[in-house]
Amino acid sequence: MKRLHFIILASLLLSLLSFSQTAIVRGVILDEGNTPIENVNIKASTGEGTATNSNGFYELKIPYGVEITVIFSHISHERVEQKFLLKNGQELEYNPVMLLDVEQIATVVINTNTRLKVDGVTSISPQMLRTIKGAQPGVENILKTLPGVNISNELSTQYSVRGGNFDENLVYVNEIEVYRPFLIRSGNQEGLSFVNTDLVHNVDFSAGGFQAKYGDKLSSVLDITYRNPVDFGIRADLSLLGGSLSAETVSKDGKFSGIAGVRYRDNSLLLNSLETEGNVEPIFADAQTFLTYRFSSKFHLNFLGNISLNKYNFQPENRQTNFGTISDPVALLVFYEGQEKDKYQTYFGALKANYFVNDDLTLKFITSAYQTTEQEYFDILAQYRLGEVNTSIGDENLGEVEFSEGIGSQLTHARNDLDAFIVNVEHRGDYKIDDESTVEWSVKYTNEDIRDRLVEYEIIDSAGFSIRPPRFSQPNYQPYESFSGPLTAFENIRALNRITINRFQAFAQYSKSTNWNGHDVFYNAGIRSHSWNVSGEGVSGKTQTVFSPRAQFTIKPNWEKDVLFRVAGGLYYQPPFYRELRDSTGTVQPDVKAQKSYHLVLGNEQSFEIWDRPFKLVIEAYYKGMTDVNPYTLENVRVRYSAKNNAKAYAYGLDFRLNGEFVPGTESWFSFGYLKTEENIDNRGYIARPTDQRLKFGALFQDYVPNMPDLKMYLNLVYNTGVPGGSPSYADPYNYQIRLRDYRRADLGISYQIVNPERTYDAKWKKSVKELSIGFEIYNMFDNQNSITNTWVRDVYSKSQYAIPNYLTPRVFNLRLSARF
């Protein structure tokens, strides 16, 4: 009996010891489109195994204290192997991304999980973001090749989508809304994009007809997800335009993970190639981090932080711009005195708590704070003359000004300061009713505290006589008659505003996927509400509330061909932000209404094979009808509103995008877009809006040398027809509908991978480096003269105004070194 008790006790102790000697690896397995993969076979080297469920989730128990190799395999995806060495009781979250297996899917066009893009979202590979750089590297460099997206300024990260302006685009990072500076008026002054591509895990972009869970803007949504690292790593990038350094790590117990990056940018290489010569110091830097702490399997806490410091100092000296025609060439010569000093500092921090109640219910709590302090100071005297240009071929003075036809001067002054503090508190949640149905909701409060001092004036002088603004009725007949009226600046803006805006937002939406008569069907319906009030010193506005219903419907017919059809639409409101409340004189108009637009988007996707490789063609037709429109003008990248809801507008167009493996193992695409957008101000008739870009062609092509696959290239092509060039101050835009010249740009990048992560090397130094490459880039390869705006110059003799194009950067060469450890 004693022996029997001993055997039972020993068995219990061994069982307990065996039970304690385990650790857990769990996570969600995704494909390249960030879609969960079902039925992934997961096998540990010690024999343990499991498989993912319909949501891509898995949980695997493995022994602790020994190095275990876990293999993730799927019939249509490349195999993933990962080694783990965990502590007793440690729980580690590992979320691998499985690439499509090109060889195994030769008879399958595109995996069923990735082809059903039911929500009309374009996904961009983060590896592509890090590989394909540009004059302004970042996600915007890829966006400009998509149909419907207009970026006609390589010095700027601002973009317009399907006829909207720069203020009509939403940007989220891990479900947290991010902001951009207020006072930026020129692409030269812009710093870095908020999104650090070294930290990115996934990029989704929607150009219209987006779901109710996204906020209240009229044009687009850029939804970024930063990654949770699973190992230690360092990534570095260095070029003649600056550099970046990022590091990622995870604690031994797997509870803490973090990724951080610093970036430095110096645009001197680009700005020194512009027509305006002078001393320029454009220095931009930022530090960004995304941290995660897993208190338990049910509760995770994230922190997103960003600090950005931007300085732009400029002392212009001279400029010569040749324009006109071959038979009648004209040149603008400008000599400058003075300087410009701009400074933008932004601080952003956000906490996000995720509570996984069970497999079906997730609750999220988000709080964020954003502060920006901006300073824009300049005093610049420009003395200009218009003249005839020497056109004699072979003459040593070819292109020089021989005879001045007009002389004048312009003094611009600004002392603009802005301090904005924005706080958000939000609760989000989602509940899975079953495997096919999901409910999502959110309640959000926002407080915006804006302090703004605006002091600007412009004095224009032609041949010694000050030009008065046209709004003054007293005539000026100098030099024939003496003028006794007061001296007045041509443009004079003075305002001191302290504004507080309180916002309450909420949404609820329902999504369901089902099968109807053998056809796969998905539909989504939701509604948003937004209530806001504007108050401040000497300002009082009434509370306004809008409701925005939205819906999507997608059907994938049970056909032999891989085709789906999608329709989306709804009402989209854009309650005014601070800049939309401020009119051209700097006065805040608190009762400005939300701009209203209804979207209708019809889409079709077809997946097929060419050369035994997968391709996809996406076609979308859209229409947007807009009322209560707040008219605006564009000055480079600054948007100036009239702060009146005195216009109506429309936009319609057609977008095409063909992407696939034009070269085996690489992704490329070609896109084409047609757009027409017009507005009717005060019922005077329809004219083109400032963003009426009629035709757009974009291409992103990647290739490599077959016998030397480590030698790669990319070609980034953009062609946009010209947009309206604007009008002089106080001029009637109905009288100025001349368009800028077409925008044509080609960027070429060539790189060689010295160390390829997919290869093995004998050299010790190569074994210590995961990836190493060098590159050579040519921006604006064909040296096209593109312009962003016009400078309006008055000729004292003819009393007429000339539209002088402001040209962008010419051909520029760059070198790059990238490494990953």
Side-chain angles (χ1 to χ4, degrees), residues 70-136:
V70 179
I71 300 175
F72 303 82
S73 61
H74 191 271
I75 190 172
S76 60
H77 290 77
E78 293 182 359
R79 190 173 70 166
V80 175
E81 293 187 14
Q82 180 64 40
K83 294 182 179 180
F84 297 98
L85 179 57
L86 305 183
K87 294 183 177 180
N88 183 20
Q90 179 180 348
E91 297 182 0
L92 175 66
E93 181 179 341
Y94 178 59
N95 304 313
V97 176
M98 300 187 72
L99 307 179
L100 289 175
D101 191 326
V102 178
E103 295 180 359
Q104 291 187 13
I105 66 168
T107 59
V108 180
V109 177
I110 286 183
N111 179 269
T112 56
N113 288 322
T114 60
R115 64 187 175 190
L116 193 60
K117 303 303 293 183
V118 295
D119 48 5
V121 168
T122 300
S123 294
I124 301 173
S125 165
Q127 182 61 31
M128 183 175 289
L129 296 178
R130 291 187 280 268
T131 302
I132 299 176
K133 303 293 185 177
Q136 185 63 275

Side-chain angles (χ1 to χ4, degrees), residues 334-464:
V334 186
F335 300 93
Y336 296 97
E337 296 179 20
Q339 63 180 341
E340 176 178 358
K341 288 189 175 182
D342 302 328
K343 183 167 61 175
Y344 311 95
Q345 298 181 0
T346 62
Y347 306 88
F348 180 81
L351 283 172
K352 179 183 177 183
N354 299 280
Y355 182 59
F356 307 99
V357 180
N358 50 49
D359 291 341
D360 299 323
L361 178 61
T362 301
L363 302 178
K364 306 170 186 177
F365 300 90
I366 302 171
T367 179
S368 67
Y370 170 82
Q371 183 180 25
T372 177
T373 56
E374 305 175 26
Q375 173 183 300
E376 184 183 42
Y377 291 177
F378 57 80
D379 289 282
I380 296 179
L381 173 63
Q383 296 177 322
Y384 65 87
R385 56 192 178 103
L386 296 170
E388 296 179 355
V389 179
N390 186 330
T391 58
S392 300
I393 303 298
D395 195 308
E396 62 179 5
N397 295 322
L398 176 66
E400 299 294 330
V401 176
E402 294 187 326
F403 175 73
S404 296
E405 297 180 344
I407 299 175
S409 61
Q410 177 187 47
L411 174 64
T412 55
H413 167 93
R415 292 293 184 272
N416 299 330
D417 293 278
L418 185 138
D419 187 353
F421 186 63
I422 303 173
V423 177
N424 294 282
V425 179
E426 180 182 13
H427 160 63
R428 299 175 71 101
D430 59 80
Y431 176 70
K432 294 181 180 179
I433 301 174
D434 51 44
D435 291 340
E436 289 79 26
S437 305
T438 304
V439 175
E440 298 175 75
W441 66 88
S442 168
V443 179
K444 182 179 181 181
Y445 167 73
T446 303
N447 177 266
E448 301 166 4
D449 186 7
I450 314 290
R451 283 159 286 188
D452 180 25
R453 184 190 72 167
L454 189 65
V455 179
E456 293 183 19
Y457 64 75
E458 178 184 14
I459 298 174
I460 300 178
D461 176 275
S462 284

Side-chain angles (χ1 to χ4, degrees), residues 618-646:
V618 181
I619 304 173
E620 285 194 342
Y622 59 89
Y623 181 86
K624 297 192 290 187
M626 291 163 273
T627 56
D628 291 328
V629 173
N630 191 349
Y632 62 89
T633 58
L634 287 179
E635 299 176 2
N636 204 305
V637 297
R638 182 170 72 159
V639 184
R640 299 185 65 177
Y641 293 93
S642 66
K644 300 176 183 178
N645 300 106
N646 61 329

Side-chain angles (χ1 to χ4, degrees), residues 646-676:
N646 61 329
K648 54 185 178 181
Y650 68 84
Y652 64 81
L654 189 65
D655 289 341
F656 298 84
R657 179 171 177 259
L658 175 65
N659 72 299
E661 294 187 18
F662 291 89
V663 176
T666 66
E667 182 184 11
S668 303
W669 62 69
F670 295 87
S671 61
F672 173 79
Y674 171 81
L675 163 70
K676 183 176 183 179

